[in-house]
């Protein structure tokens, strides 16, 4: 199989540019083939065993399985995080959220940080590595997510305390200087516009908000943050643009001040920052 033949097999699912990038990533991560190696025809020189393995992975890609699950890693803020089915694949938008937080860390001390719905641990671990003096805690309701997040923290050398917690049923309150969350926010009515590989392979628990109240996670996190943040503490969210104003209005009613809705690189209302008085 040549590189051309490989990426052309994925064009029923992906645009040509994305299909090429996926195959290059696969060849690099699994076989150590650089772009120069690919251009030099080294793909056709793989051993028989490697060719057999490559064909199995190509069939998985043709079935729509995300490349990150096949190679077992995803890039995030310049680091590699282990991912597997059952854990949401980190997105570029969430990288933007982390970069927003990191860019403003000099404005107020980030001593105690809580990441709610940590998934692979990408937010909590990134903030812990960028703010090594902070005490970082991360919650998730999924045992599988917590296991993978802990493995990522160990492999990347981050000091994060992981706990199994359900934000809809929190019995206690601690004190934090920053709370951040990328909760499930996709509305069921948005399913028709989503890629099939996301719907078929990524965990619904981490993707979809309840149809009857699509901002319920933001409300409960907002309630908890109002009780738990120090005066002057910050609450950060990744948002669904469809409900951004609803979330902002709810936090305003709670008493948060300096509420800002920030746009992502595509000009969508994607992030929110609020301050506890």
């Amino acid at each position: 199989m040549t590189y051309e033949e490989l990426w052309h097999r994925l064009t029923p699912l992906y645009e040509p540019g994305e299909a090429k990038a996926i195959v290059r990533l696969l060849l690099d991560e699994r076989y150590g083939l650089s772009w120069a190696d690919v251009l030099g025809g080294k793909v056709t020189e793989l051993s028989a065993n490697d060719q057999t393995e490559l064909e199995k992975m190509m069939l998985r890609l043709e079935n729509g399985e995300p490349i990150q699950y096949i190679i077992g890693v995803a890039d995030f803020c310049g680091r590699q995080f282990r991912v597997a089915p059952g854990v949401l694949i980190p997105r570029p938008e969430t990288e933007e959220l982390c970069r927003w937080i990191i860019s403003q860390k000099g404005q107020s001390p980030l001593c105690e940080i809580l990441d709610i719905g940590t998934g692979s641990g990408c937010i909590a671990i990134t903030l812990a590595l960028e703010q090594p003096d902070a005490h970082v805690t991360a919650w998730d309701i999924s045992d599988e997510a917590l296991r993978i997040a802990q493995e990522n923290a160990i492999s990347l050398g981050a000091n994060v305390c992981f706990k199994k917690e359900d934000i809809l049923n929190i019995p206690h309150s601690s004190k934090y200087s920053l709370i951040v969350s990328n909760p499930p926010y996709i509305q069921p009515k948005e399913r028709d516009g989503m890629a099939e590989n996301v719907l078929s392979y990524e965990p619904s628990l981490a993707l979809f908000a309840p149809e009857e109240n699509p901002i319920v996670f933001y409300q409960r996190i907002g309630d908890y943050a109002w009780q738990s943040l120090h005066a002057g503490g910050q609450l950060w969210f990744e948002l669904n643009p469809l409900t951004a104003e609803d979330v902002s209005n709810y936090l305003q009613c709670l008493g948060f001040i300096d509420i800002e809705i920030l746009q992502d690189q595509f000009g969508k209302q994607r992030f929110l920052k609020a301050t506890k008085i």
Side-chain angles (χ1 to χ4, degrees), residues 33-185:
L33 295 180
S34 67
W35 180 226
D37 292 331
V38 172
L39 291 176
K42 293 291 183 66
V43 179
T44 59
E45 298 176 14
L46 291 172
S47 69
N49 286 340
D50 285 345
Q51 289 278 359
T52 299
E53 182 191 43
L54 178 58
E55 175 60 22
K56 291 177 180 178
M57 290 186 290
M58 286 300 301
L59 291 173
R60 291 169 66 183
L61 287 170
E62 287 178 293
N63 285 330
E65 186 172 350
I67 179 64
Q68 292 89 345
Y69 288 158
I70 293 173
I71 63 177
V73 294
D75 290 331
F76 187 86
C77 287
R79 301 178 179 93
Q80 278 198 335
F81 285 77
R82 180 169 177 262
V83 293
V87 173
L88 192 69
I89 296 169
R91 300 300 203 272
E93 292 86 351
T94 311
E95 285 194 42
E96 287 188 72
L97 173 62
C98 283
R99 296 191 195 282
W100 272 112
I101 296 171
I102 293 165
S103 71
Q104 301 190 34
K105 67 182 181 181
Q107 298 180 13
S108 59
L110 303 182
C111 302
E112 305 92 11
I113 298 173
L114 173 63
D115 173 26
I116 298 177
T118 196
S120 65
C122 59
I123 294 176
I125 291 168
T126 298
L127 295 181
L129 293 173
E130 296 293 335
Q131 186 80 9
D133 293 335
H135 296 91
V136 182
T137 302
W139 294 350
D140 207 286
I141 196 173
S142 165
D143 291 324
E144 176 68 3
L146 290 169
R147 182 181 65 80
I148 290 175
Q150 183 68 64
E151 290 178 4
N152 281 325
I154 293 171
S155 65
L156 291 168
N159 185 13
V160 179
C161 176
F162 294 98
K163 296 181 179 180
K164 184 174 183 179
E165 297 284 4
D166 179 0
I167 190 57
L168 300 182
N169 185 29
I170 297 298
H172 61 271
S173 178
S174 299
K175 284 297 181 182
Y176 301 97
S177 54
L178 184 143
I179 295 176
V180 57
S181 183
N182 175 22
Y185 61 61

Side-chain angles (χ1 to χ4, degrees), residues 43 105 120 215 219 230 235:
V43 179
K105 67 182 181 181
S120 65
I215 67 166
Q219 291 172 333
H230 294 295
L235 172 63

